PDB file of all heavy atoms in Angstrom:
ATOM      1  N   GLY A 214      14.806  23.721  -7.106  1.00  0.00           N
ATOM      2  CA  GLY A 214      16.007  24.457  -7.133  1.00  0.00           C
ATOM      3  C   GLY A 214      15.662  25.956  -7.316  1.00  0.00           C
ATOM      4  O   GLY A 214      14.707  26.313  -8.046  1.00  0.00           O
ATOM      5  N   SER A 259      21.291  15.095  -2.270  1.00  0.00           N
ATOM      6  CA  SER A 259      21.910  15.273  -3.466  1.00  0.00           C
ATOM      7  C   SER A 259      23.460  15.126  -3.364  1.00  0.00           C
ATOM      8  O   SER A 259      23.893  15.408  -2.288  1.00  0.00           O
ATOM      9  CB  SER A 259      21.527  16.517  -4.064  1.00  0.00           C
ATOM     10  OG  SER A 259      22.302  16.894  -5.169  1.00  0.00           O
ATOM     11  N   ALA A 260      24.118  14.875  -4.420  1.00  0.00           N
ATOM     12  CA  ALA A 260      25.567  14.915  -4.353  1.00  0.00           C
ATOM     13  C   ALA A 260      26.012  16.369  -4.171  1.00  0.00           C
ATOM     14  O   ALA A 260      27.085  16.636  -3.645  1.00  0.00           O
ATOM     15  CB  ALA A 260      26.163  14.413  -5.728  1.00  0.00           C
ATOM     16  N   ALA A 261      25.117  17.286  -4.517  1.00  0.00           N
ATOM     17  CA  ALA A 261      25.376  18.721  -4.307  1.00  0.00           C
ATOM     18  C   ALA A 261      25.458  19.102  -2.771  1.00  0.00           C
ATOM     19  O   ALA A 261      25.884  20.124  -2.419  1.00  0.00           O
ATOM     20  CB  ALA A 261      24.368  19.581  -5.033  1.00  0.00           C
ATOM     21  N   ASN A 264      28.963  16.875  -1.581  1.00  0.00           N
ATOM     22  CA  ASN A 264      30.121  17.619  -2.085  1.00  0.00           C
ATOM     23  C   ASN A 264      29.747  18.985  -2.100  1.00  0.00           C
ATOM     24  O   ASN A 264      29.369  19.555  -1.085  1.00  0.00           O
ATOM     25  CB  ASN A 264      30.610  17.103  -3.503  1.00  0.00           C
ATOM     26  CG  ASN A 264      30.785  15.623  -3.476  1.00  0.00           C
ATOM     27  OD1 ASN A 264      30.005  14.886  -4.138  1.00  0.00           O
ATOM     28  ND2 ASN A 264      31.651  15.076  -2.725  1.00  0.00           N
ATOM     29  N   VAL A 265      29.775  19.737  -3.270  1.00  0.00           N
ATOM     30  CA  VAL A 265      29.292  21.098  -3.469  1.00  0.00           C
ATOM     31  C   VAL A 265      28.754  21.263  -4.831  1.00  0.00           C
ATOM     32  O   VAL A 265      29.058  20.390  -5.751  1.00  0.00           O
ATOM     33  CB  VAL A 265      30.368  22.207  -3.245  1.00  0.00           C
ATOM     34  CG1 VAL A 265      30.836  22.188  -1.810  1.00  0.00           C
ATOM     35  CG2 VAL A 265      31.560  22.018  -4.173  1.00  0.00           C
ATOM     36  N   ASN A 266      27.906  22.241  -5.030  1.00  0.00           N
ATOM     37  CA  ASN A 266      27.573  22.597  -6.512  1.00  0.00           C
ATOM     38  C   ASN A 266      27.721  24.166  -6.591  1.00  0.00           C
ATOM     39  O   ASN A 266      26.664  24.809  -6.223  1.00  0.00           O
ATOM     40  CB  ASN A 266      26.196  22.011  -6.807  1.00  0.00           C
ATOM     41  CG  ASN A 266      25.897  22.394  -8.314  1.00  0.00           C
ATOM     42  OD1 ASN A 266      26.646  23.083  -8.968  1.00  0.00           O
ATOM     43  ND2 ASN A 266      24.755  21.923  -8.810  1.00  0.00           N
ATOM     44  N   SER A 269      24.728  26.224  -7.808  1.00  0.00           N
ATOM     45  CA  SER A 269      23.472  26.184  -7.106  1.00  0.00           C
ATOM     46  C   SER A 269      23.725  26.120  -5.596  1.00  0.00           C
ATOM     47  O   SER A 269      23.360  25.182  -4.866  1.00  0.00           O
ATOM     48  CB  SER A 269      22.535  24.932  -7.416  1.00  0.00           C
ATOM     49  OG  SER A 269      22.523  24.911  -8.865  1.00  0.00           O
ATOM     50  N   TYR A 272      20.571  25.600  -3.098  1.00  0.00           N
ATOM     51  CA  TYR A 272      20.156  24.180  -3.300  1.00  0.00           C
ATOM     52  C   TYR A 272      21.103  23.257  -2.530  1.00  0.00           C
ATOM     53  O   TYR A 272      20.689  22.452  -1.831  1.00  0.00           O
ATOM     54  CB  TYR A 272      20.092  23.882  -4.760  1.00  0.00           C
ATOM     55  CG  TYR A 272      19.714  22.429  -5.132  1.00  0.00           C
ATOM     56  CD1 TYR A 272      18.406  22.087  -5.154  1.00  0.00           C
ATOM     57  CD2 TYR A 272      20.688  21.521  -5.382  1.00  0.00           C
ATOM     58  CE1 TYR A 272      18.014  20.750  -5.512  1.00  0.00           C
ATOM     59  CE2 TYR A 272      20.402  20.257  -5.643  1.00  0.00           C
ATOM     60  CZ  TYR A 272      19.071  19.821  -5.782  1.00  0.00           C
ATOM     61  OH  TYR A 272      18.746  18.524  -5.988  1.00  0.00           O
ATOM     62  N   PRO A 304      21.800  11.486  -4.885  1.00  0.00           N
ATOM     63  CA  PRO A 304      22.091  11.245  -6.324  1.00  0.00           C
ATOM     64  C   PRO A 304      22.907  12.498  -6.947  1.00  0.00           C
ATOM     65  O   PRO A 304      22.676  13.579  -6.554  1.00  0.00           O
ATOM     66  CB  PRO A 304      20.634  11.221  -7.029  1.00  0.00           C
ATOM     67  CG  PRO A 304      19.754  11.228  -5.875  1.00  0.00           C
ATOM     68  CD  PRO A 304      20.367  11.839  -4.681  1.00  0.00           C
ATOM     69  N   ALA A 305      23.755  12.247  -7.954  1.00  0.00           N
ATOM     70  CA  ALA A 305      24.299  13.215  -8.806  1.00  0.00           C
ATOM     71  C   ALA A 305      23.189  13.418  -9.737  1.00  0.00           C
ATOM     72  O   ALA A 305      21.937  13.206  -9.484  1.00  0.00           O
ATOM     73  CB  ALA A 305      25.632  12.835  -9.396  1.00  0.00           C
ATOM     74  N   PHE A 306      23.407  13.893 -10.974  1.00  0.00           N
ATOM     75  CA  PHE A 306      22.329  14.205 -11.877  1.00  0.00           C
ATOM     76  C   PHE A 306      21.572  13.040 -12.324  1.00  0.00           C
ATOM     77  O   PHE A 306      22.036  12.009 -12.607  1.00  0.00           O
ATOM     78  CB  PHE A 306      22.891  15.023 -13.103  1.00  0.00           C
ATOM     79  CG  PHE A 306      23.483  16.282 -12.599  1.00  0.00           C
ATOM     80  CD1 PHE A 306      24.952  16.466 -12.616  1.00  0.00           C
ATOM     81  CD2 PHE A 306      22.782  17.379 -12.306  1.00  0.00           C
ATOM     82  CE1 PHE A 306      25.471  17.688 -12.151  1.00  0.00           C
ATOM     83  CE2 PHE A 306      23.319  18.560 -11.755  1.00  0.00           C
ATOM     84  CZ  PHE A 306      24.682  18.714 -11.757  1.00  0.00           C
ATOM     85  N   LEU A 311      13.717  18.043 -13.179  1.00  0.00           N
ATOM     86  CA  LEU A 311      14.489  18.972 -12.447  1.00  0.00           C
ATOM     87  C   LEU A 311      15.710  19.676 -13.188  1.00  0.00           C
ATOM     88  O   LEU A 311      15.986  20.789 -13.225  1.00  0.00           O
ATOM     89  CB  LEU A 311      15.021  18.392 -11.104  1.00  0.00           C
ATOM     90  CG  LEU A 311      15.706  19.369 -10.228  1.00  0.00           C
ATOM     91  CD1 LEU A 311      14.860  19.670  -8.948  1.00  0.00           C
ATOM     92  CD2 LEU A 311      17.062  18.822  -9.647  1.00  0.00           C
ATOM     93  N   GLU A 314      14.746  21.555 -16.486  1.00  0.00           N
ATOM     94  CA  GLU A 314      14.153  22.891 -16.277  1.00  0.00           C
ATOM     95  C   GLU A 314      15.119  23.835 -15.694  1.00  0.00           C
ATOM     96  O   GLU A 314      14.762  24.742 -15.038  1.00  0.00           O
ATOM     97  CB  GLU A 314      12.840  22.778 -15.340  1.00  0.00           C
ATOM     98  CG  GLU A 314      11.698  22.180 -16.148  1.00  0.00           C
ATOM     99  CD  GLU A 314      10.538  21.688 -15.278  1.00  0.00           C
ATOM    100  OE1 GLU A 314      10.638  21.835 -14.057  1.00  0.00           O
ATOM    101  OE2 GLU A 314       9.667  21.054 -15.784  1.00  0.00           O
ATOM    102  N   ILE A 315      16.332  23.654 -15.891  1.00  0.00           N
ATOM    103  CA  ILE A 315      17.354  24.578 -15.359  1.00  0.00           C
ATOM    104  C   ILE A 315      17.256  25.786 -16.079  1.00  0.00           C
ATOM    105  O   ILE A 315      17.211  25.954 -17.276  1.00  0.00           O
ATOM    106  CB  ILE A 315      18.793  23.921 -15.391  1.00  0.00           C
ATOM    107  CG1 ILE A 315      18.903  22.892 -14.287  1.00  0.00           C
ATOM    108  CG2 ILE A 315      19.815  24.939 -15.277  1.00  0.00           C
ATOM    109  CD1 ILE A 315      20.249  22.116 -14.265  1.00  0.00           C
ATOM    110  N   ASN A 319      16.884  29.327 -11.281  1.00  0.00           N
ATOM    111  CA  ASN A 319      17.217  28.285 -10.330  1.00  0.00           C
ATOM    112  C   ASN A 319      18.759  27.870 -10.460  1.00  0.00           C
ATOM    113  O   ASN A 319      19.175  26.991  -9.716  1.00  0.00           O
ATOM    114  CB  ASN A 319      16.405  27.036 -10.452  1.00  0.00           C
ATOM    115  CG  ASN A 319      16.335  26.488 -11.914  1.00  0.00           C
ATOM    116  OD1 ASN A 319      17.283  26.595 -12.596  1.00  0.00           O
ATOM    117  ND2 ASN A 319      15.252  25.982 -12.317  1.00  0.00           N
ATOM    118  N   PHE A 329      28.589  21.237 -17.088  1.00  0.00           N
ATOM    119  CA  PHE A 329      28.901  20.473 -15.962  1.00  0.00           C
ATOM    120  C   PHE A 329      28.146  19.085 -15.972  1.00  0.00           C
ATOM    121  O   PHE A 329      28.696  18.050 -15.737  1.00  0.00           O
ATOM    122  CB  PHE A 329      28.580  21.267 -14.678  1.00  0.00           C
ATOM    123  CG  PHE A 329      28.961  20.632 -13.415  1.00  0.00           C
ATOM    124  CD1 PHE A 329      30.239  20.305 -13.100  1.00  0.00           C
ATOM    125  CD2 PHE A 329      27.983  20.519 -12.380  1.00  0.00           C
ATOM    126  CE1 PHE A 329      30.654  19.799 -11.849  1.00  0.00           C
ATOM    127  CE2 PHE A 329      28.303  19.999 -11.189  1.00  0.00           C
ATOM    128  CZ  PHE A 329      29.577  19.567 -10.923  1.00  0.00           C
ATOM    129  N   ILE A 333      29.636  15.335 -15.873  1.00  0.00           N
ATOM    130  CA  ILE A 333      29.403  14.384 -14.741  1.00  0.00           C
ATOM    131  C   ILE A 333      28.524  13.189 -15.192  1.00  0.00           C
ATOM    132  O   ILE A 333      28.651  12.075 -14.721  1.00  0.00           O
ATOM    133  CB  ILE A 333      28.601  15.145 -13.585  1.00  0.00           C
ATOM    134  CG1 ILE A 333      29.346  16.364 -13.083  1.00  0.00           C
ATOM    135  CG2 ILE A 333      28.175  14.112 -12.498  1.00  0.00           C
ATOM    136  CD1 ILE A 333      30.486  15.989 -12.202  1.00  0.00           C
ATOM    137  N   LYS A 360      25.742   7.631  -2.305  1.00  0.00           N
ATOM    138  CA  LYS A 360      25.773   8.485  -3.484  1.00  0.00           C
ATOM    139  C   LYS A 360      25.583   7.635  -4.619  1.00  0.00           C
ATOM    140  O   LYS A 360      26.180   6.581  -4.781  1.00  0.00           O
ATOM    141  CB  LYS A 360      27.065   9.129  -3.510  1.00  0.00           C
ATOM    142  CG  LYS A 360      27.327  10.147  -4.690  1.00  0.00           C
ATOM    143  CD  LYS A 360      28.607  11.006  -4.470  1.00  0.00           C
ATOM    144  CE  LYS A 360      29.181  11.397  -5.765  1.00  0.00           C
ATOM    145  NZ  LYS A 360      30.539  11.836  -5.696  1.00  0.00           N
ATOM    146  N   SER A 362      26.004   8.062  -8.715  1.00  0.00           N
ATOM    147  CA  SER A 362      26.431   8.975  -9.837  1.00  0.00           C
ATOM    148  C   SER A 362      26.818   8.153 -11.027  1.00  0.00           C
ATOM    149  O   SER A 362      27.266   6.950 -10.948  1.00  0.00           O
ATOM    150  CB  SER A 362      27.378   9.917  -9.423  1.00  0.00           C
ATOM    151  OG  SER A 362      28.757   9.394  -9.620  1.00  0.00           O
ATOM    152  N   MET A 364      29.237   8.817 -12.944  1.00  0.00           N
ATOM    153  CA  MET A 364      30.705   8.772 -13.009  1.00  0.00           C
ATOM    154  C   MET A 364      31.271   7.653 -12.082  1.00  0.00           C
ATOM    155  O   MET A 364      32.195   6.950 -12.433  1.00  0.00           O
ATOM    156  CB  MET A 364      31.196  10.157 -12.559  1.00  0.00           C
ATOM    157  CG  MET A 364      32.672  10.331 -12.974  1.00  0.00           C
ATOM    158  SD  MET A 364      33.170  12.032 -12.422  1.00  0.00           S
ATOM    159  CE  MET A 364      33.034  12.948 -13.892  1.00  0.00           C
ATOM    160  N   ASP A 365      30.729   7.605 -10.853  1.00  0.00           N
ATOM    161  CA  ASP A 365      31.301   6.830  -9.827  1.00  0.00           C
ATOM    162  C   ASP A 365      30.393   5.648  -9.425  1.00  0.00           C
ATOM    163  O   ASP A 365      30.802   4.822  -8.575  1.00  0.00           O
ATOM    164  CB  ASP A 365      31.636   7.564  -8.497  1.00  0.00           C
ATOM    165  CG  ASP A 365      32.693   8.583  -8.776  1.00  0.00           C
ATOM    166  OD1 ASP A 365      33.652   8.389  -9.590  1.00  0.00           O
ATOM    167  OD2 ASP A 365      32.518   9.763  -8.202  1.00  0.00           O
TER     168      ASP A 365
HETATM  169  C1  LIG B   4      16.090  23.271 -10.799  1.00  0.00           C
HETATM  170  C2  LIG B   4      17.430  22.883 -11.080  1.00  0.00           C
HETATM  171  C3  LIG B   4      18.410  23.538 -10.017  1.00  0.00           C
HETATM  172  C4  LIG B   4      19.722  22.785  -9.956  1.00  0.00           C
HETATM  173  C5  LIG B   4      19.619  21.808  -9.060  1.00  0.00           C
HETATM  174  C6  LIG B   4      20.986  21.239  -8.935  1.00  0.00           C
HETATM  175  O1  LIG B   4      21.875  21.924  -8.889  1.00  0.00           O
HETATM  176  C7  LIG B   4      20.996  19.883  -8.810  1.00  0.00           C
HETATM  177  C8  LIG B   4      22.149  19.191  -8.495  1.00  0.00           C
HETATM  178  C9  LIG B   4      22.116  17.835  -8.541  1.00  0.00           C
HETATM  179  C10 LIG B   4      23.254  17.163  -8.279  1.00  0.00           C
HETATM  180  C11 LIG B   4      24.508  17.853  -8.155  1.00  0.00           C
HETATM  181  C12 LIG B   4      25.668  17.106  -8.116  1.00  0.00           C
HETATM  182  C13 LIG B   4      26.928  17.714  -8.076  1.00  0.00           C
HETATM  183  C14 LIG B   4      27.963  16.943  -7.842  1.00  0.00           C
HETATM  184  C15 LIG B   4      29.377  17.547  -7.832  1.00  0.00           C
HETATM  185  O2  LIG B   4      29.591  18.424  -6.815  1.00  0.00           O
HETATM  186  C16 LIG B   4      30.289  16.383  -7.618  1.00  0.00           C
HETATM  187  O3  LIG B   4      30.035  15.759  -6.449  1.00  0.00           O
HETATM  188  C17 LIG B   4      30.174  15.461  -8.744  1.00  0.00           C
HETATM  189  C18 LIG B   4      31.324  14.401  -8.722  1.00  0.00           C
HETATM  190  C19 LIG B   4      31.118  13.464  -9.781  1.00  0.00           C
HETATM  191  C20 LIG B   4      30.254  12.344  -9.363  1.00  0.00           C
HETATM  192  O4  LIG B   4      29.513  11.958 -10.242  1.00  0.00           O
HETATM  193  O5  LIG B   4      30.478  11.861  -8.214  1.00  0.00           O
END
Side-chain angles (χ1 to χ4, degrees):
S259 167
N264 307 113
V265 293
N266 184 353
S269 308
Y272 177 85
F306 296 104
L311 188 105
E314 288 165 5
I315 285 180
N319 58 32
F329 185 57
I333 301 291
K360 181 172 156 190
S362 89
M364 199 178 258
D365 298 324

